[in-house]
Amino acid sequence: MENELSERSVSIDILINFDEKKKLDYSLADELETRERAQVREYVQNILRKRSYLDFLIGEFSSVAVEEMKPGLKNILRLAVYDLLFMDSTPDYAAINEAVEVAKRKLGSKTGDLVNAIMRNLQRDRDNLPKPAFKDRNKLVATTFSHPEWMVARWRKRFGEREAFKLMQANNSRPHYYVRVNTLRTKPKNFELRMEKMDIPFQPSDWLPYYYKIDSVQPFISKGLLEKGICLVQDIAAGFAPTILDPQPGEKVFDLCAAPGTKSIMMADLMQAEGEITSVDISPERLQKLAESALNYQAENIKIRGGDVREVSIGLADAVLLDAPCTGTGVLSKRADLRWQRDEEGLQNAVELQEELLEEAANMVKRGGRLVYSTCSLEPEENMEQITKFLDKYDNFELEILEDYLPEEVLAEDKLSYQTYPHTHGCDGHFGVLLKRVK
Ligand SMILES: C[S@@+](CC[C@H](N)C(=O)[O-])C[C@H]1O[C@@H](n2cnc3c(N)ncnc32)[C@H](O)[C@@H]1O
């Protein structure tokens, strides 16, 4: 019999908690070993990536409608169906028996019997599974690709169906990972030698210096490379915003909405820790992570400031980065949970907050100074439309051309913004512009 704290049962607890509280809390896995914790993350993210499709299958084989199931039963079944159909390493009997045991233990023997019946039915038909066949096209696509219907409707309209499919497929695939070497701690050549010695596969990027595409983050954790501050896990597109801000040693820089701090750390490195970065964020927990990273990465020029960007009074800077809170629709392969947490109202709220934050950020830029606005969203309202609105209102800022900083393939035709897409660029979806204060 399975131990109380198995990867499966902890994954189920995290998924139940997510359904009930709309928050993904991995701390429930804290008592597991590193490898098991990684497995829990895999389970949770993979199940969230396939959630609508798994629910469709459960509905087809159950006498109880999925909408009527409590989160406990629903998530035991989601994990069991995922195990049965998508985990080659799990034998059928183990997938079914373990689900039945967890159901009995958590919800009683009757529920265990129900799980057994549903799973046996599904196993019997596994070579001839039903396919979603809804008349409503958005519902059909949303179920097939496990994205919310509002997102599907938007993306089908904007990109056309073929491209929207490719984007959703990319969101449902294993994400790409990059690390950036921290030159405050080591030289890139030494870092490469170290990776070779440790047999860690890596591929230097030709987009930005010091970035390497990697297969998995796991060896970097287990060999202590992150802990020692040697390198940082950061998507290459997340490095574009600091790159175009181009902070120089000795400058005064503000990083607004800075936590957990990967961009502050990168900017400290670009500045060789000379000058001053004030990193502002509203979240004390996330700022705690930034404080730990600053120590770890020897980013000694970072000063942390807790508070709302709209309320802090920190004067003027040569260069300001506003990495605005957003819907995160560009990072859905790494954060599959976000697709289930966002809705159209949330998008509208994000747009309003970004507008206020952008105005505040602009007021903190010295005359002649630079302002970068960035998001990890694919939605025009959060990106270029936000900037157009801002420029219509303020005539003391101008957009700068980005071709000296970034590869052409990530730039808009006019070279005044960058936007990456997971399905075309093989990295997260990020947007950014560089504004100069001209008067
Ligand atoms: C996209 S994340 C920032 C990621 C960060 N720049 C990095 O690279 O690690 C957005 C951040 O905005 C913060 N935030 C949201 N509203 C804020 C506000 N009104 N004032 C300050 N920070 C805010 C959130 O706490 C969150 O940490």
Side-chain angles (χ1 to χ4, degrees):
M1 162 130 34
E2 220 193 353
N3 146 346
E4 191 67 40
L5 274 184
S6 77
E7 296 135 42
R8 286 185 180 81
S9 84
V10 172
S11 304
I12 290 167
D13 288 340
I14 292 173
L15 289 163
I16 295 172
N17 190 59
F18 179 68
D19 275 4
E20 288 175 343
K21 305 204 177 120
K22 290 263 172 276
K23 207 172 159 243
L24 200 56
D25 182 4
Y26 284 115
S27 71
L28 297 173
D30 277 356
E31 284 177 41
L32 298 179
E33 301 293 322
T34 314
R35 186 174 284 279
E36 293 166 338
R37 280 206 305 273
Q39 177 61 50
V40 165
R41 278 179 185 265
E42 282 278 311
Y43 260 132
V44 169
Q45 287 293 322
N46 282 332
I47 288 162
L48 291 173
R49 279 188 202 113
K50 296 189 187 305
R51 198 172 88 169
S52 310
Y53 178 62
L54 295 173
D55 286 0
F56 161 75
L57 288 177
I58 294 166
E60 290 290 300
F61 290 96
S62 162
S63 52
V64 182
V66 178
E67 303 76 55
E68 277 159 33
M69 290 179 184
K70 296 228 166 79
L73 173 60
K74 216 187 297 190
N75 285 297
I76 289 170
L77 285 166
R78 283 172 179 160
L79 189 132
V81 177
Y82 173 77
D83 247 348
L84 186 75
L85 301 181
F86 299 102
M87 287 285 278
D88 293 341
S89 56
T90 312
D92 284 9
Y93 69 86
I96 298 176
N97 291 354
E98 292 203 19
V100 172
E101 285 307 322
V102 176
K104 279 187 184 161
R105 199 170 60 229
K106 285 188 194 294
L107 305 167
S109 66
K110 259 181 132 178
T111 314
D113 293 342
L114 177 64
V115 168
N116 191 41
I118 296 171
M119 293 307 296
R120 297 275 168 212
N121 285 344
L122 201 140
Q123 183 194 25
R124 206 183 42 233
D125 284 3
R126 65 177 300 162
D127 294 329
N128 194 18
L129 289 174
K131 292 197 170 53
F134 306 106
K135 277 214 182 84
D136 178 334
R137 188 85 187 150
N138 285 331
K139 187 168 182 195
L140 173 66
V141 175
T143 308
T144 309
F145 290 97
S146 287
H147 278 64
E149 276 179 54
W150 71 272
M151 224 178 251
V152 167
R154 238 175 178 263
W155 288 354
R156 281 182 61 223
K157 197 162 157 208
R158 174 162 162 227
F159 298 115
E161 199 152 82
R162 267 173 154 245
E163 202 177 335
F165 286 1
K166 284 188 191 152
L167 170 57
M168 289 187 276
Q169 267 161 350
N171 290 342
N172 289 348
S173 309
R174 242 187 125 251
H176 301 276
Y177 287 101
Y178 286 84
V179 289
R180 182 183 189 278
V181 61
N182 177 25
T183 72
L184 294 172
R185 276 260 150 128
T186 188
K187 292 197 171 68
K189 199 75 227 151
N190 293 346
F191 177 66
E192 289 181 15
L193 286 173
R194 203 190 262 247
M195 290 202 286
E196 273 163 20
K197 239 174 147 178
M198 290 175 168
D199 269 337
I200 302 177
F202 65 96
Q203 199 190 335
S205 166
D206 48 17
W207 277 1
L208 290 184
Y210 310 149
Y211 276 89
Y212 301 87
K213 195 168 194 177
I214 55 167
D215 295 340
S216 156
V217 174
Q218 212 44 46
F220 292 85
I221 300 172
S222 60
K223 313 255 188 217
L225 294 175
L226 306 180
E227 222 170 281
K228 291 185 194 131
I230 306 282
C231 62
L232 189 76
V233 178
Q234 186 186 48
D235 192 80
I236 190 152
F240 292 168
T243 300
I244 62 172
L245 190 67
D246 195 19
Q248 299 297 313
E251 279 194 318
K252 190 170 175 187
V253 175
F254 294 161
D255 185 0
L256 307 178
C257 299
T262 58
K263 295 185 185 72
S264 289
I265 301 293
M266 177 174 171
M267 290 199 290
D269 190 356
L270 294 174
M271 296 164 78
Q272 284 303 293
E274 286 169 29
E276 197 178 280
I277 302 174
T278 305
S279 300
V280 183
D281 203 281
I282 203 168
S283 157
E285 300 86 48
R286 288 167 71 92
L287 277 179
Q288 179 58 32
K289 287 198 182 132
L290 201 164
E292 285 161 18
S293 295
L295 276 178
N296 210 19
Y297 288 92
Q298 282 182 351
E300 284 163 8
N301 62 334
I302 293 182
K303 271 189 5 198
I304 291 175
R305 184 71 189 261
D308 190 318
V309 165
R310 294 165 296 183
E311 284 160 16
V312 290
S313 153
I314 48 175
L316 298 176
D318 301 298
V320 174
L321 168 61
L322 172 63
D323 189 32
C326 66
T327 53
T329 54
V331 294
L332 297 185
S333 78
K334 286 184 187 136
R335 293 284 314 275
D337 48 304
L338 287 182
R339 70 186 80 177
W340 308 119
Q341 286 173 308
R342 301 295 186 241
D343 54 25
E344 280 174 303
E345 195 187 330
L347 168 61
Q348 197 43 47
N349 294 340
V351 170
E352 282 161 27
L353 175 60
Q354 288 153 359
E355 193 176 345
E356 289 177 23
L357 294 173
L358 182 54
E359 293 194 7
E360 292 298 336
N363 284 330
M364 298 182 196
V365 181
K366 276 185 190 162
R367 201 167 304 140
R370 289 109 62 211
L371 168 64
V372 164
Y373 172 85
S374 61
T375 72
C376 56
S377 166
L378 305 180
E379 312 315 311
E381 298 94 317
E382 299 183 86
N383 296 337
M384 206 57 204
E385 286 177 21
Q386 194 68 266
I387 298 304
T388 309
K389 226 169 18 184
F390 172 78
L391 290 172
D392 284 346
K393 212 159 151 191
Y394 298 92
D395 65 355
N396 56 341
F397 279 88
E398 280 175 6
L399 282 169
E400 295 282 290
I401 299 267
L402 301 177
E403 66 187 340
D404 287 347
Y405 300 106
L406 299 179
E408 196 170 344
E409 58 208 286
V410 306
L411 297 182
E413 218 174 305
D414 59 11
K415 319 250 188 286
L416 294 173
S417 62
Y418 65 81
Q419 173 78 71
T420 49
Y421 294 95
H423 62 299
T424 44
H425 296 100
C427 59
D428 289 342
H430 284 252
F431 167 85
V433 290
L434 169 64
L435 296 149
K436 188 168 177 196
R437 179 161 176 194
V438 287
K439 53 183 177 182

